[in-house]
């Protein structure tokens, strides 16, 4: 019966890790999209400036 606490701890740790990874990846994806958008806008500006 003492292993139940261990399994609950592991389950909570996995859930917390999943939530943290989910937050980080959504932030990372937003950053990548923002960088790509800025690069495309810069390219369009550079091509029309010349």
């Amino acid at each position: 019966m003492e292993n139940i606490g261990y399994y609950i701890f592991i389950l909570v740790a996995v859930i917390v890790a999943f939530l943290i990874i989910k937050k980080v990846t959504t932030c990372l994806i937003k950053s990548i999209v923002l960088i790509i958008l800025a690069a495309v806008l810069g390219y369009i500006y550079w091509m029309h400036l010349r």
Side-chain angles (χ1 to χ4, degrees):
M1 289 305 274
E2 62 191 43
N3 286 342
I4 291 175
Y6 177 72
Y7 288 125
I8 290 173
F9 174 74
I10 293 296
L11 183 64
V12 169
V14 167
I15 292 171
V16 169
F18 174 74
L19 291 174
I20 290 172
I21 289 171
K22 186 177 170 186
K23 291 278 187 191
V24 169
T25 53
T26 55
C27 182
L28 188 63
I29 290 170
K30 287 178 186 175
S31 298
I32 290 171
V33 168
L34 186 63
I35 290 170
I36 291 172
L37 184 63
V40 169
L41 289 174
Y43 175 77
I44 292 170
Y45 178 75
W46 181 260
M47 291 316 245
H48 286 304
L49 189 66
R50 294 179 121 193

